[in-house]
Amino acid sequence: MTLVLGIESSCDETSIALVDGDGRILSSVVASQFDAHRRFGGVVPEIAARAHLTNLPVLLDEALALAAVRLEDVTLVAATAGPGLVGALLVGLSEGKGLAMGLSVPFVPVHHIEAHALSAFLSLEGPARPIPERFAALVVSGGHTHVFLFEAGRIELLARTRDDAAGEAYDKVAKMAGLGYPGGPLVDRLAARGRIEEPFAVARFKDGSPDFSFSGLKTAVRERLEAQGLRSTAGQETLPEEAAPEALRNTFAAFQEAVVAQLEDRLTLLWNREAFRVLSVSGGVAANGLLRERLPRWGGRYGVEVLLPARALTSDNAAMIAFAGLVRRREGRSDEGLAAVARSRWPLVR
Ligand code: KG4
Ligand code: ZN
């Protein structure tokens, strides 16, 4: 029986998962480091690496116990090799290689963004869905807002953000208002309780490029917050979520609408060009309430099946790493195995 052990340590989440040969998640445990980084308002690389080192052995025992399997039953080990923080990546990558060597099983280095893109095919209840020959993948996270076209083993980049990633924009507007980190879930909840009084324009490039841009929107939000006297300059958490005034909730509602409307706008441009029939949407921002409501509806209009991972699988997790390792191995794509190095940058296109 195929049993894949997946390890994720590219940023501020340590995770270990066990996935079987059908892509069924037997266990997936995640240790978030939010509290360790919170007071710094962002991820501190050294703290992240050290926390991974402490968390991994604990998570490994937990994941094996939850899946009711033994380490010796593992037939394949997969770990994130990049992109991400090199120190953090090294911890999981070395652990993965060591385990694979000790168990005498193959090791597969995984591309974190490819794993996100494939996470939409996973299910919390049963086996993974079959992966079509051709599909588009929108990856929206704190570091990426990219659309790729997966076709017969090849991956093409169709669009990317030219400045901030969508999740980064969420985190920054939250910080501007003095809210906590990460800002995405906070802004999502507050926006849901606001209403749009004055919309923000949807950014578009003059040349009709399907690329994304969120920095203009971020500036527009900053200016509006300043005009409303809601801008926090303290640079730290000063506003509890419950105390967010109505005007702030309304501004966030308009911000969130502009983000989702831009995603829809670009997907339409790309669909006109590439006529894809399946779209996977993944990454931390794929947990967003408005996005989850609107993108499937967008798909309905264009005859595109929009696949969203369960919320638990949108943020960084090792289940998607194990699954991507399994898919990679099945496709028989050559990779470096134990020779893989940690890469802070690693283009997905091939
Ligand atoms: O994929 P992820 O866990 O980490 C990487 O960036 O790789 O994504 C984290 C990002 C953060 O920017 C966070 O604020 C954002 O996803 N995020 C959200 C929501 N939940 C997380 N953004 C909008 N709405 C959400 N509900
Ligand atoms: Zn990620």
Side-chain angles (χ1 to χ4, degrees):
M1 184 188 111
T2 303
L3 181 63
V4 193
L5 172 74
I7 303 176
E8 157 64 29
S9 74
S10 66
C11 190
D12 58 347
E13 248 118 25
T14 324
S15 178
I16 294 210
L18 288 150
V19 167
D20 74 10
D22 297 324
R24 197 179 277 105
I25 303 169
L26 304 182
S27 66
S28 177
V29 287
V30 183
S32 289
Q33 306 172 9
F34 290 151
D35 293 334
H37 301 284
R38 176 169 279 137
R39 66 197 182 94
F40 302 102
V43 178
V44 184
E46 286 76 11
I47 295 180
R50 239 172 296 148
H52 290 312
L53 210 49
T54 329
N55 291 340
L56 275 178
V58 184
L59 294 182
L60 179 59
D61 288 345
E62 231 179 282
L64 290 167
L66 274 172
V69 295
R70 294 170 315 155
L71 187 57
E72 300 76 61
D73 301 332
V74 169
T75 60
L76 181 70
V77 179
T80 309
L85 305 168
V86 168
L89 285 165
L90 267 175
V91 178
L93 189 62
S94 312
E95 168 90 5
K97 288 182 190 175
L99 285 170
M101 269 193 267
L103 293 164
S104 305
V105 299
F107 174 77
V108 187
V110 168
H111 193 293
H112 183 84
I113 302 306
E114 178 172 13
H116 271 302
L118 297 177
S119 68
F121 296 97
L122 284 169
S123 149
L124 289 180
E125 283 90 38
R129 288 163 167 264
I131 299 174
E133 266 290 289
R134 186 174 194 268
F135 67 96
L138 167 65
V139 182
V140 260
S141 70
H144 285 76
T145 304
H146 286 48
V147 184
F148 299 95
L149 185 69
F150 283 65
E151 187 163 17
R154 293 198 57 243
I155 303 173
E156 188 190 336
L157 176 66
L158 298 182
R160 62 178 169 86
T161 179
R162 293 206 187 162
D163 40 62
D164 293 347
E168 193 180 354
Y170 269 93
D171 294 335
K172 286 180 177 168
V173 301
K175 198 168 176 179
M176 281 175 204
L179 288 159
Y181 156 89
L186 290 162
V187 175
D188 185 2
R189 285 195 294 270
L190 292 171
R193 292 173 44 221
R195 73 198 144 77
I196 302 169
E197 287 192 311
E198 207 186 321
F200 289 109
V202 174
R204 268 198 137 173
F205 289 104
K206 285 202 187 72
D207 60 4
S209 162
D211 281 350
F212 302 93
S213 170
F214 296 102
S215 78
L217 175 60
K218 187 184 63 188
T219 307
V221 171
R222 186 192 305 117
E223 283 164 1
R224 191 173 297 180
L225 293 179
E226 264 159 17
Q228 292 172 317
L230 295 172
R231 167 108 195 267
S232 158
T233 47
Q236 53 195 342
E237 225 174 305
T238 49
L239 181 69
E241 182 180 350
E242 318 74 66
E246 189 186 353
L248 181 63
R249 289 186 264 124
N250 293 348
T251 298
F252 282 165
F255 162 78
Q256 177 147 289
E257 171 61 33
V259 171
V260 173
Q262 185 181 148
L263 297 176
E264 289 171 333
D265 179 70
R266 302 311 201 266
L267 288 172
T268 304
L269 284 177
L270 290 170
W271 182 83
N272 282 327
R273 217 169 75 185
E274 303 289 346
F276 46 85
R277 306 295 302 269
V278 177
L279 172 72
S280 97
V281 182
S282 61
V285 186
N288 185 267
L290 188 66
L291 177 151
R292 295 181 79 88
E293 184 189 311
R294 289 268 289 273
L295 292 192
R297 243 197 269 158
W298 173 89
R301 282 201 297 281
Y302 292 92
V304 177
E305 188 182 9
V306 174
L307 301 177
L308 284 157
R311 273 203 169 87
L313 295 173
T314 54
S315 54
D316 292 348
N317 66 85
M320 68 180 192
I321 303 302
F323 182 55
L326 176 73
V327 172
R328 236 172 188 261
R329 181 91 191 149
R330 288 263 161 87
E331 288 179 357
R333 272 185 268 137
S334 68
D335 54 47
E336 321 100 303
L338 291 170
V341 293
R343 296 177 172 92
S344 61
R345 288 168 183 277
W346 187 8
L348 176 56
V349 172
R350 61 166 183 254

